[in-house]
């Protein structure tokens, strides 16, 4: 049963109010008029009203009001069946009263008053006192109902100072989404988000709205052809406020300080573990409870339409263009705004009308192409395919399937889908177990050779993987695998989410690459882009069905201004199906061992982290900018992946330091295994850019930045990634040595002060970062040997040149060049970590960060790390150690084999001495040298 409830007042009469209950759920809702249609009734009550009971309140009750109080009871006779489901009641608890001195109405609760203020120019909720435990706030805000209802009501005063509804011609309507795009299963999405406006707008909801108030509300407001943006604030404390204001987008953002205990929420089963690890989260427990509740509701919503999460995530086997066992081809697409849909291609000479889809249940479109008379598939392998579409607005366009598994550009500037049923790939090697700690080699297949060209999956597998396995890396992180029309986007403007980039070879060659990595004992991570999508339409996901939304948010909220891309609607069930299926696809079809989630900061917050500085104040995380829909998706993704694939690895690219990001979902966390320590490369680049002398290096700030991370949340430490190497910036080595890398990197040339300093500091920065900065390490390809210059993809601005779009592995291989020293030291770091295992020994303990001497000493595991960043050497330096005994140097950056001056005799034994309850050794610290000491007895 659907009830449609509208608010109205009779012109010229005293304001009236009533409460209606439905027998189905027995939950009261303040309304003024029951009607079967969505409209406003400025001309008085319709004929459908049979009775109006007016009853004056007692003088005792009236004393609480500022004006006349009337309770009104309505009965509907237009629909007898519906009438049986509606019980008119007179509830003395709620009254409608008119204030004489200003433009507002009050809805008063005798126990704790509730005010709903309606301004002529701007409607708003204000001064909303917490309801009593027996009167949930949901009853006041028209939530918590089992039947779909629509509430309308924006009021203004007429010339006689009497309340009346604004005319239907001028009143704006608040819509959960474009009315033409609402599908049945989206009603549950709307319910999940708990979009509501009560007397100020229209609520569309379906079932079981028995949740805590959300932090975000997504509503589209349209008035004729104009669109407006509203923002919502819900701030609870002694008094709660909901304020609706005009803004500049469709996203209604809510902020909240706490939640009412009368509204249902549930804590994560092990949330006490999270709170014990981070006591500063305790004041925000209600926010964590709300996130977990929303996650549970999202999960339950999925399970209400799918037998299991696994079935839900296997939708990639159902959608798109699929060849069947009988050689028929089945095409299936979700396209709510589509009016007609056809498939054409080489196989039918691009006849755009021959093969027409039919609309099935909901907004699903389906086409089945039977095999020919010989039982063969009518679409030959390698055929170019496109969809030819017309939307409900009459616009005609062509698209490729969102689920396309292989697309090529060919001679056209845009991609066509290629019909390429994948043969059964013969996997030879079993994926290794996840390593104890990750040594990640961040890679881009297209730039993996010294030649100025686009390299292939096979070239990477045959040349790079053996090379980095020999160096000691145990993890490959592949960038730019998901298809992207614009090569210079570095793979971050994805156009086809299920298609491995065809630039590097067909899909089976990617499988060969991954199989080769497994052969060498390495796991492979996919650089996953679920934070946004390319705004391309002809060959992208954007506007697939001609609408502004589809898988994305509509209006400005669906646009990422900084990246010129589209933002997913993570509250949409169809979007969740698409994204979860994408995860399942890459793991099950290509055997990826995990994911590095790109742009997590952008996902976490509605402001996307743009021009926002995070100081560590927890109020910066739990406020109106938190994108609960995206957080729920990441929780769902991590929980699904880790439950289905226990050995999976997930990494979050987050610069904000969001608490609980790398704690299990059962604790109330988001579920990632690692986060990237993104502040570290920023630290080094800032030092190199802004410091004119080494004396300006603040060693205290260096140590603080490297060691500052959330307890028991693992970080991936790195000196530089692809971001620092892009055009407009330079690699760390080039910042240190600059143009002299062109002339003085040969061992036959002069070792200039700049080259000597650069090589020494390059080694120190890497060991210091890997020693103190995290629980795993990452190197962008080529940086292990100090790759010169920068990275720039072919584009119009550089004449489509590939000169800077390659990795010069020939440099460290040339024994006459000094690059070999840096590569050897990088391998020595990995060898030392494998032997002494410091990365999984918790944070380092800082003994010394001496500003004048530029000396840093810390303990981690059983090792003592000592760094002299000074340009002078120190004799007999007093160095604190963990335990008494004999120490020896196990790693020395000044060794000749690493391009150093060999000023340390590694056979020297250092005996500790005691001062009070502390232990020290006396050491020689050469300038710009790193030493690692190990207790030998």
């Amino acid at each position: 049963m659907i009830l449609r409830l509208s608010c109205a007042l009779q012109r010229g009469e005293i304001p009236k109010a009533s409460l209606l209950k439905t027998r189905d759920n027995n939950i009261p809702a303040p309304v003024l008029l029951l009607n079967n249609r969505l409209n406003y009734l400025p001309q008085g009550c319709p004929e459908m009203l049979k009775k109006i009971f007016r009853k004056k309140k007692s003088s005792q009750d009236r004393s609480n009001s500022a004006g006349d109080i009337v309770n009104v009871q309505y009965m509907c006779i237009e629909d007898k069946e519906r009438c049986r489901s509606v019980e008119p009641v007179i509830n003395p608890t709620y009254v409608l009263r008119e204030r004489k001195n200003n433009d507002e109405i009050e809805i008063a609760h005798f126990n704790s008053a509730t005010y709903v203020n309606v301004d002529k120019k701007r409607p708003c909720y204000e001064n909303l006192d917490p309801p009593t435990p027996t009167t949930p706030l949901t009853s006041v805000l028209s939530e918590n109902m089992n039947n779909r209802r629509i509430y309308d009501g924006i009021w203004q005063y007429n010339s006689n100072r009497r309340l009346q509804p604004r005319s239907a011609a001028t009143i704006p309507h608040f819509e959960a989404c474009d009315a033409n795009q609402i599908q049945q299963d989206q009603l549950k999405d709307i319910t999940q988000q708990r979009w509501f406006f009560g007397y100020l707008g229209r609520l569309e909801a379906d079932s079981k709205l028995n949740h805590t108030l959300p932090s975000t509300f997504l509503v589209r407001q349209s008035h004729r052809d104009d669109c407006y943006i509203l923002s919502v604030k819900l701030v609870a404390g002694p008094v709660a406020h909901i304020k609706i204001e005009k803004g500049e987008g469709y996203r209604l953002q809510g902020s909240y300080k706490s939640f009412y205990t009368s509204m249902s929420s549930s804590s994560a089963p092990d949330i006490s573990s999270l709170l014990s690890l981070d006591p500063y989260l305790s004041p925000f427990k209600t926010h964590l409870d709300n996130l977990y509740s929303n996650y549970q509701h999202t999960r339950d919503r999925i399970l209400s339409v799918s037998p299991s999460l696994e079935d839900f995530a296997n939708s990639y086997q159902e959608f798109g263009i699929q060849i069947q066992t009988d050689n028929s081809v089945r095409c299936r697409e979700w396209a709510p705004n589509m009016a007609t849909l056809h498939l054409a291609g080489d196989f039918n000479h691009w006849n755009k009308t021959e093969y027409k889809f039919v609309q099935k249940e909901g907004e699903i479109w389906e086409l089945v192409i039977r095999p020919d008379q010989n039982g063969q598939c009518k679409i030959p392998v390698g055929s170019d395919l496109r969809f030819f579409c017309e939307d409900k607005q009459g616009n005609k366009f062509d698209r490729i399937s969102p689920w396309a598994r292989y697309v090529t550009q060919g001679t056209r500037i845009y991609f066509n889908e290629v019909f390429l049923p994948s043969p059964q790939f013969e996997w030879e090697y079993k994926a290794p177990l996840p390593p104890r700690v990750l040594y990640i080699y961040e890679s881009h297949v297209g730039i993996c050779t010294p030649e100025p060209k686009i390299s292939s999956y096979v070239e990477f597998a045959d040349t790079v993987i053996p090379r980095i396995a020999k160096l000691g890396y145990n993890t490959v992180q592949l960038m730019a695998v998901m298809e992207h029309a614009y090569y210079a986007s570095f793979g971050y403007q994805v156009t086809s989410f299920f298609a491995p980039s065809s630039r590097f070879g067909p899909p089976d060659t990617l499988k060969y690459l991954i199989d080769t990595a497994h052969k060498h004992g390495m796991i492979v991570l996919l650089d996953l882009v679920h934070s946004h999508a390319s705004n391309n339409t002809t060959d992208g996901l954007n506007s697939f069905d001609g609408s502004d939304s589809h898988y994305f948010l509509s209006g400005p909220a669906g646009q990422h201004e900084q990246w010129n891309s589209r933002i997913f609607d993570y509250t949409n069930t169809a979007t969740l199906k698409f994204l979860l299926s994408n995860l399942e696809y890459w793991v099950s079809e290509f055997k990826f061992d995990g994911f590095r989630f790109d742009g997590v900061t952008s996902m976490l917050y509605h402001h996307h982290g743009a021009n926002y500085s995070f100081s560590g104040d927890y109020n910066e995380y739990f406020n109106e900018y938190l994108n609960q829909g995206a957080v729920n998706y990441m929780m769902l993704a991590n929980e699904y992946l880790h439950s289905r694939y226990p050995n999976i690895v997930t990494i979050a690219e987050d610069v904000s330091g969001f608490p609980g990001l790398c704690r299990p979902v059962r604790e109330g966390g988001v579920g990632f295994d690692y986060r990237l320590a993104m502040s570290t490369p920023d630290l080094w680049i800032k030092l190199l850019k802004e410091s004119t002398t080494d004396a300006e290096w603040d060693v205290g700030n260096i140590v603080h930045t490297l060691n500052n991370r959330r307890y028991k949340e693992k970080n991936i430490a790195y000196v530089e990634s692809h971001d620092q190497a892009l055009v407009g910036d330079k690699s760390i080595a080039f910042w240190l040595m600059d143009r002299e890398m062109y002339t003085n990197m040969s061992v036959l040339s002069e070792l200039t002060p700049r080259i000597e300093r650069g090589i020494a500091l390059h080694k120190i920065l890497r060991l210091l970062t890997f020693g103190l900065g995290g629980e795993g390490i990452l190197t962008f390809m080529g940086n292990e040997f100090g790759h010169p210059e920068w990275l720039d993809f072919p584009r119009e601005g550089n004449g489509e040149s590939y000169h800077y779009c390659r990795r010069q592995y020939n440099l460290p291989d040339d024994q006459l060049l000094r690059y070999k020293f840096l590569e050897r030291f990088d391998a020595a770091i990995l060898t030392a970590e494998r032997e002494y295992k410091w990365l999984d020994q918790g944070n380092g303990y800082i003994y010394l960060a001496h500003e004048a001497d530029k000396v840093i000493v810390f303990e981690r595991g059983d090792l003592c790390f000592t760094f002299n960043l000074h340009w002078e050497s120190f004799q007999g330096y007093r160095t604190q150690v963990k335990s008494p005994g004999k120490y020896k140097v196990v790693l020395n950056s000044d060794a000749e084999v690493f391009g150093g001056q060999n000023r340390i005799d590694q056979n020297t034994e250092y005996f500790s001495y005691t001062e009070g309850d502390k232990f020290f050794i006396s050491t020689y610290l050469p300038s710009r040298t790193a030493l690692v000491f190990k207790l030998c007895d």
Side-chain angles (χ1 to χ4, degrees):
M1 183 195 72
I2 295 180
L3 291 179
R4 297 174 181 249
L5 306 178
S6 307
C7 301
L9 287 175
Q10 290 184 337
R11 183 185 298 275
E13 293 194 5
I14 299 174
K16 307 170 180 66
S18 73
L19 284 176
L20 292 180
K21 290 184 179 179
T22 66
R23 297 183 189 276
D24 298 348
N25 51 36
N26 200 34
I27 293 181
V31 296
L32 296 177
L33 182 68
L34 173 63
N35 191 1
N36 283 334
R37 297 183 59 81
L38 263 177
N39 55 14
Y40 286 84
L41 306 170
Q43 300 303 322
C45 293
E47 294 297 323
M48 64 172 288
L49 294 177
K50 183 177 182 181
K51 297 181 181 179
I52 297 181
F53 296 98
R54 299 182 56 182
K55 179 180 178 181
K56 293 287 185 179
K57 297 293 293 180
S58 65
S59 58
Q60 180 181 2
D61 289 338
R62 188 177 302 144
S63 63
N64 291 324
S65 67
D68 202 5
I69 301 175
V70 177
N71 284 338
V72 181
Q73 186 179 51
Y74 295 101
M75 292 186 66
C76 165
I77 62 171
E78 179 176 316
D79 186 332
K80 293 182 180 180
E81 291 300 319
R82 183 169 300 176
C83 249
R84 294 193 184 101
S85 301
V86 179
E87 175 187 359
V89 295
I90 298 176
N91 190 330
T93 304
Y94 292 91
V95 296
L96 176 65
R97 60 189 182 187
E98 176 184 354
R99 282 194 174 182
K100 301 295 185 182
N101 299 324
N102 52 41
D103 296 348
E104 67 177 30
I105 57 175
E106 295 183 18
I107 300 178
H109 187 288
F110 283 359
N111 295 322
S112 57
T114 300
Y115 307 93
V116 179
N117 302 334
V118 179
D119 189 288
K120 286 183 179 180
K121 298 180 180 179
R122 184 180 66 196
C124 63
Y125 282 123
E126 287 185 349
N127 302 326
L128 193 62
D129 288 344
T132 62
T134 57
T135 309
L137 183 63
T138 48
S139 66
V140 180
L141 297 180
S142 307
E143 271 199 86
N144 200 357
M145 55 188 133
N146 292 329
N147 295 317
R148 180 182 177 213
R149 293 178 172 79
I150 299 179
Y151 291 89
D152 286 318
I154 293 187
W155 302 84
Q156 64 184 17
Y157 278 77
N158 60 21
S159 57
N160 296 324
R161 300 293 297 167
R162 293 190 180 275
L163 281 169
Q164 67 178 37
R166 299 162 87 177
S167 70
T170 60
I171 197 164
H173 289 270
F174 297 80
E175 301 178 286
C177 58
D178 190 327
N180 293 326
Q181 298 173 20
I182 294 181
Q183 57 177 343
Q184 293 300 318
D185 61 349
Q186 280 183 314
L187 294 176
K188 292 187 178 181
D189 296 352
I190 297 168
T191 299
Q192 172 62 22
Q193 286 300 101
R194 295 168 303 287
W195 299 336
F196 67 93
F197 284 91
Y199 277 95
L200 300 185
R202 186 172 82 195
L203 165 67
E204 298 203 12
D206 190 17
S207 64
K208 298 181 181 178
L209 275 170
N210 188 23
H211 316 310
T212 58
L213 290 177
S215 64
T216 57
F217 309 87
L218 180 61
V219 177
R220 175 169 181 161
Q221 178 195 11
S222 60
H223 173 51
R224 296 182 179 176
D225 295 329
D226 299 323
C227 294
Y228 307 92
I229 303 172
L230 308 175
S231 64
V232 175
K233 283 190 175 182
L234 170 59
V235 182
V239 178
H241 306 275
I242 303 176
K243 188 173 184 180
I244 303 178
E245 299 177 326
K246 186 174 180 180
E248 297 181 353
Y250 291 104
R251 171 67 68 176
L252 295 187
Q253 298 174 342
S255 68
Y256 51 90
K257 298 289 184 182
S258 63
F259 295 95
Y260 294 109
T261 57
S262 60
M263 305 192 70
S264 66
S265 64
S266 58
S267 298
D270 298 333
I271 194 171
S272 58
S273 299
L274 179 61
L275 299 181
S276 65
L277 291 175
D278 189 353
Y280 291 102
L281 273 175
S282 295
F284 301 89
K285 180 179 180 297
T286 50
H287 301 268
L288 297 172
D289 290 346
N290 186 62
L291 285 173
Y292 187 78
S293 249
N294 286 344
Y295 155 72
Q296 284 188 312
H297 296 315
T298 301
R299 192 175 186 277
D300 292 344
R301 175 160 47 96
I302 290 172
L303 294 178
S304 70
V305 298
S306 181
S308 66
L309 287 179
E310 183 177 345
D311 288 335
F312 189 76
N314 274 292
S315 296
Y316 74 90
Q317 298 177 357
E318 176 186 357
F319 285 87
I321 302 176
Q322 310 268 355
I323 188 168
Q324 307 300 300
T325 56
D326 64 351
N327 281 334
S328 64
V329 176
R330 182 170 177 260
C331 312
R332 189 174 172 87
E333 298 292 342
W334 174 67
N337 193 50
M338 205 74 80
T340 62
L341 182 61
H342 294 81
L343 175 69
D346 296 335
F347 74 102
N348 73 336
H349 308 290
W350 294 100
N351 185 329
K352 300 178 182 179
T353 61
E354 182 178 1
Y355 291 105
K356 182 179 181 180
F357 283 71
V358 296
Q359 189 169 8
K360 310 295 281 188
E361 70 280 1
E363 287 103 2
I364 303 298
W365 294 79
E366 189 173 282
L367 166 67
V368 176
I369 302 177
R370 301 298 178 187
D372 62 19
Q373 59 185 2
N374 297 319
Q376 299 301 310
C377 181
K378 286 186 177 179
I379 305 180
V381 173
S383 297
D384 281 0
L385 305 172
R386 291 195 73 80
F387 292 150
F388 293 89
C389 323
E390 181 176 351
D391 63 21
K392 293 179 179 178
Q393 292 73 41
N395 302 306
K396 295 183 178 180
F397 45 88
D398 56 288
R399 297 286 188 265
I400 60 176
S401 171
W403 305 81
R405 300 195 190 183
Y406 190 59
V407 297
T408 58
Q409 265 180 323
T411 57
R412 298 181 176 89
I413 61 171
Y414 56 82
F415 282 104
N416 278 337
E417 180 171 358
V418 176
F419 185 66
L420 192 67
S422 178
Q424 190 67 32
F425 181 81
E426 295 294 334
W427 295 93
E428 295 187 36
Y429 301 96
K430 185 178 180 181
L433 294 175
R436 174 184 56 86
V437 294
L438 302 183
Y439 311 147
I440 302 174
Y441 199 76
E442 185 184 33
S443 308
H444 187 293
V445 169
I447 65 174
C448 73
T449 62
E451 292 81 18
K453 65 173 187 176
I454 297 178
S455 303
S456 70
Y457 295 122
V458 173
E459 287 176 301
F460 186 93
D462 291 344
T463 61
V464 177
I465 287 180
R467 180 188 195 95
I468 61 179
K470 184 178 179 181
L471 290 176
Y473 287 92
N474 58 28
T475 305
V476 180
Q477 179 179 299
L478 292 179
M479 308 169 57
V481 169
M482 304 167 77
E483 190 60 271
H484 46 291
Y486 184 43
Y487 188 45
S489 72
F490 224 136
Y492 292 114
Q493 292 281 341
V494 176
T495 47
S496 292
F497 283 74
F498 290 83
S501 181
S502 59
R503 290 183 180 87
F504 316 134
D508 279 359
T509 58
L510 173 59
K511 295 179 181 180
Y512 169 74
L513 183 160
I514 295 171
D515 202 34
T516 303
H518 290 166
K519 171 185 175 182
H520 287 83
M522 308 176 74
I523 66 171
V524 185
L525 308 180
L526 175 66
D527 198 341
L528 183 83
V529 186
H530 280 185
S531 51
H532 65 129
S534 168
N535 62 10
N536 287 19
T537 55
T538 305
D539 55 3
L541 192 62
N542 184 24
S543 191
F544 171 72
D545 65 350
S547 69
D548 181 42
S549 51
H550 200 231
Y551 291 114
F552 307 104
L553 296 173
S554 62
Q559 302 287 340
H560 198 301
E561 294 182 0
Q562 288 75 26
W563 296 344
N564 190 29
S565 56
R566 295 304 311 271
I567 302 298
F568 285 106
D569 181 0
Y570 301 102
T571 66
N572 188 335
T573 302
T575 302
L576 294 176
K577 177 180 292 187
F578 182 83
L579 296 177
L580 281 179
S581 294
N582 196 231
L583 296 172
E584 176 66 29
Y585 170 75
W586 290 112
V587 177
S588 61
E589 297 292 324
F590 289 88
K591 298 192 183 302
F592 275 99
D593 304 290
F595 300 96
R596 178 257 200 193
F597 281 67
D598 177 69
V600 167
T601 303
S602 177
M603 297 173 71
L604 284 170
Y605 311 101
H606 293 303
H607 55 60
H608 307 304
N611 302 317
Y612 196 94
S613 178
F614 292 92
S615 66
D617 184 344
Y618 282 39
N619 290 291
E620 296 171 348
Y621 307 121
F622 301 104
N623 55 33
E624 67 269 26
Y625 300 115
L626 183 64
N627 186 343
Q628 288 200 41
V631 175
N632 291 160
Y633 162 65
M634 288 186 282
M635 294 171 72
L636 185 69
N638 277 298
E639 187 67 10
Y640 171 75
L641 287 170
H642 287 97
S643 60
R644 178 155 167 74
Y645 303 101
N647 294 325
I648 207 83
V649 176
T650 60
I651 302 172
E653 188 209 28
D654 172 43
V655 72
S656 73
F658 186 79
L661 188 68
C662 299
R663 296 303 303 173
V665 172
R666 66 178 181 274
E667 293 182 5
V670 184
F672 287 100
D673 298 303
Y674 296 86
R675 65 153 44 92
L676 293 178
M678 299 182 69
S679 60
T680 304
D682 293 341
L683 164 74
W684 296 129
I685 287 294
K686 183 177 181 181
L687 278 177
L688 295 174
K689 282 183 177 180
E690 298 180 2
S691 300
T692 56
T693 67
D694 293 354
E696 298 176 21
W697 287 32
D698 184 344
V699 296
N701 182 56
I702 291 172
V703 166
H704 171 75
T705 302
L706 290 174
N707 213 31
N708 181 28
R709 53 188 181 274
R710 298 200 175 280
Y711 183 56
K712 295 292 184 180
E713 295 195 36
K714 294 187 289 186
N715 280 229
I716 300 295
Y718 59 108
V719 179
E720 54 185 327
S721 72
H722 64 274
D723 289 325
Q724 285 72 39
L726 289 174
V727 63
D729 214 324
K730 298 182 289 189
S731 68
I732 291 290
F734 212 59
W735 274 110
L736 289 167
M737 296 175 274
D738 206 59
R739 67 184 63 184
E740 290 190 21
M741 294 190 79
Y742 296 126
T743 58
N744 292 87
M745 286 300 284
S746 169
V747 296
L748 303 178
S749 64
E750 176 190 3
L751 181 63
T752 63
R754 178 182 285 272
I755 295 295
E756 181 182 8
R757 171 184 177 270
I759 290 177
L761 288 180
H762 191 277
K763 293 180 290 186
I764 286 178
L765 265 56
R766 291 183 70 79
L767 180 58
L768 181 54
T769 301
F770 296 163
L772 190 60
E775 289 72 31
I777 61 178
L778 177 144
T779 294
F780 178 64
M781 59 193 313
N783 290 342
E784 72 276 11
F785 60 80
H787 201 287
E789 302 173 325
W790 53 87
L791 190 63
D792 190 12
F793 282 80
R795 53 189 174 85
E796 185 177 345
N798 65 9
E800 303 295 335
S801 171
Y802 286 85
H803 179 74
Y804 297 105
C805 190
R806 57 195 175 116
R807 294 284 93 177
Q808 300 180 59
Y809 287 108
N810 56 300
L811 296 178
D813 291 343
D814 190 334
Q815 296 305 301
L816 293 179
L817 297 179
R818 293 188 168 101
Y819 296 98
K820 64 182 179 181
F821 299 134
L822 299 180
E823 185 179 61
R824 288 174 187 171
F825 188 70
D826 189 73
I829 294 175
L830 300 183
T831 300
E833 204 292 321
R834 276 196 305 275
E835 182 175 355
Y836 302 115
K837 301 177 175 57
W838 69 75
L839 283 175
D840 54 356
Q841 297 297 312
N843 283 29
Y845 184 84
I846 311 300
Y847 287 134
L848 181 68
H850 199 290
E851 289 295 342
D853 294 347
K854 304 300 178 189
V855 172
I856 297 171
V857 180
F858 65 85
E859 160 214 319
R860 195 168 184 194
D862 294 327
L863 301 179
C864 176
F865 293 79
T866 305
F867 298 85
N868 180 15
L869 280 70
H870 207 283
W871 47 96
E872 294 182 357
S873 302
F874 299 105
Q875 288 280 357
Y877 204 87
R878 179 173 171 268
T879 304
Q880 187 172 349
V881 292
K882 179 180 180 180
S883 304
K886 181 176 66 177
Y887 286 81
K888 293 192 69 172
V889 173
V890 295
L891 186 59
N892 169 23
S893 70
D894 194 50
E896 187 176 8
V897 68
F898 304 137
Q901 301 179 42
N902 211 30
R903 290 169 288 180
I904 294 291
D905 182 358
Q906 293 198 208
N907 294 318
T908 300
E909 296 177 341
Y910 301 84
F911 292 89
S912 67
Y913 60 92
T914 304
E915 289 186 6
D917 59 351
K918 298 179 181 178
F919 309 102
F920 298 88
I921 58 175
S922 180
T923 60
Y924 172 49
L925 298 183
S927 61
R928 298 191 178 110
T929 296
L931 301 173
V932 180
F933 295 92
K934 173 74 169 62
L935 182 68
C936 297
D937 56 2

